[in-house]
Amino acid sequence: MWYRNVEVGMKKILVSSVIAMIMIVLVACGGKPKPNDFDWKITAFEAVDQDGQPFHTEQMKGKIWLVNFAFTSCTTVCPPMTFNLTEIQQKLKEKGIEDVHILSFSVDPAIDTPAKIKEFLGKYKADTTQWRFVTGYSQAAIEKYSLEMFKSQVQKVEGDDQVIHTTSVFLVDQEGTVLTRYNGLEPPEDKIVEDVKSLLE
């Protein structure tokens, strides 16, 4: 029986050693693991922003982005989502993280002119130097792009001035990859900060 006890003891030591080695490797690599819920690659899409300036998704490369979908005449979820994004923007700055950009896609481009979008953003304490709220494409284009790139439905119902769309906020890394998403109505601010930090390490 004694040799069985020795064998069990050796196995325990071996398992403990492996765990210890894994922990050492993780520490040596530094930083927290990057979010990897998704691996969705952003493809080309053209628009204009609130200043009437051209925007292309190629401009996202090399930067970290928080992406959402909204529209200016929304009477339900868009105002609180937009406010929450300003809070996240402020919290990131308080943590010394300045170079994070926000991209909002209008889901009602026929109504959302750059002037209307600029007026809408003006209601919030947002740093618009790092916030692009884009329009200038067709309804069909944004419905297709949202579904293909962000696996999220956008639908404008005929005869209704409201548009169905996701309330998620998506994290896109410097390579233009959608990594994860958060609840835009109740965003986990601390987790967002940690996830962004992991992309900067």
Side-chain angles (χ1 to χ4, degrees), residues 68-130:
N68 79 316
F69 294 80
F71 63 110
T72 63
S73 56
C74 176
T75 59
T76 53
V77 297
C78 302
M81 264 204 306
T82 305
F83 174 78
N84 289 341
L85 280 169
T86 65
E87 293 286 289
I88 292 167
Q89 190 180 56
Q90 183 59 38
K91 183 151 192 172
L92 286 166
K93 288 184 177 182
E94 289 172 359
K95 298 293 183 178
I97 305 171
E98 298 282 345
D99 196 26
V100 177
H101 300 257
I102 296 174
L103 174 61
S104 298
F105 286 99
S106 169
V107 295
D108 197 7
I111 301 298
D112 286 345
T113 62
K116 283 191 175 180
I117 290 173
K118 195 163 189 174
E119 180 183 359
F120 176 80
L121 282 178
K123 298 174 184 177
Y124 303 89
K125 294 178 180 179
D127 178 1
T128 54
T129 63
Q130 293 179 305

Side-chain angles (χ1 to χ4, degrees), residues 150-166:
F150 297 89
K151 318 304 181 200
S152 301
Q153 182 187 27
V154 168
Q155 182 181 6
K156 185 167 185 177
V157 181
E158 188 174 348
D160 193 340
D161 65 353
Q162 298 299 290
V163 183
I164 298 169
H165 64 93
T166 181

